[in-house]
């Protein structure tokens, strides 16, 4: 019983940490290769560059983030689409005004590109590869 309780508490703590998003700012860019993390290797279109606040000397390279538009930062009214997007960090955007500089394609999924800059909430994307403990199945 003690192990079941401990595992349950651990899962709840993990879910709470996933549910609490961090506020930030997003912009977009259009030249994806080369990148600071992957050089000339194309990483697709659902990508982003990390601003200085996230960069951490490249430790964020390859990490996935889920990003949601929360509102405007300029006079463009109602830029948000109501959707979220998950992107892979492939580059660094030193000195950018944003926390995350999204690919134009990723930005367009969550906001009107005419806005150019938006308020966001973001979470590092996490997933479980296995929850096979028999204690969780009881």
């Amino acid at each position: 019983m003690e192990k079941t309780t401990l595992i349950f508490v651990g899962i709840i703590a993990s879910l709470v940490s996933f549910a609490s998003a961090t506020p930030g700012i997003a912009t977009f860019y259009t030249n994806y290769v080369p990148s600071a993390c992957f050089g000339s290797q194309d990483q697709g279109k659902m990508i982003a560059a990390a601003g200085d606040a996230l960069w951490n000397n490249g430790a964020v390279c390859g990490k996935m983030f889920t990003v949601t538009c929360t509102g405007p930062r300029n006079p463009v009214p109602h830029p948000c689409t109501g959707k979220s997007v998950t992107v892979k960090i492939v580059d660094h955007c030193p000195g950018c005004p944003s926390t995350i500089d999204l690919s134009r394609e990723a930005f367009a999924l969550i906001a009107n590109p005419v806005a150019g800059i938006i308020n966001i909430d973001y979470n590092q994307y996490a997933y479980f590869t296995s929850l096979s403990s028999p204690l969780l199945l009881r």
Side-chain angles (χ1 to χ4, degrees):
M1 182 67 176
E2 213 170 286
K3 284 184 180 180
T4 304
T5 303
L6 183 60
I7 290 172
F8 180 72
V9 169
I11 290 172
I12 295 300
S14 295
L15 292 174
V16 169
S17 70
F18 296 143
S20 57
T22 304
I25 300 168
T27 51
F28 69 86
Y29 69 115
T30 56
N31 294 322
Y32 310 141
V33 177
S35 70
C37 300
F38 297 97
S40 297
Q41 295 176 356
D42 183 6
Q43 297 296 308
K45 302 288 186 204
M46 293 300 116
I47 56 173
D52 293 330
L54 284 179
W55 183 243
N56 192 20
N57 293 320
V60 75
C61 284
K63 304 278 190 210
M64 305 289 286
F65 286 84
T66 300
V67 182
T68 305
C69 177
T70 59
R73 286 198 64 84
N74 58 29
V76 174
H78 314 294
C80 302
T81 65
K83 297 179 183 177
S84 294
V85 65
T86 299
V87 294
K88 180 179 183 178
I89 300 295
V90 301
D91 211 348
H92 181 208
C93 189
C96 280
S98 59
T99 312
I100 298 178
D101 197 25
L102 299 167
S103 66
R104 187 183 192 292
E105 293 82 355
F107 190 98
L109 287 176
I110 65 169
N112 181 348
V114 171
I117 187 168
I118 54 172
N119 290 316
I120 59 167
D121 279 342
Y122 66 94
N123 289 340
Q124 186 170 340
Y125 181 75
Y127 56 91
F128 295 103
T129 55
S130 174
L131 287 178
S132 59
S133 170
L135 296 173
L136 298 175
L137 301 176
R138 289 184 186 171

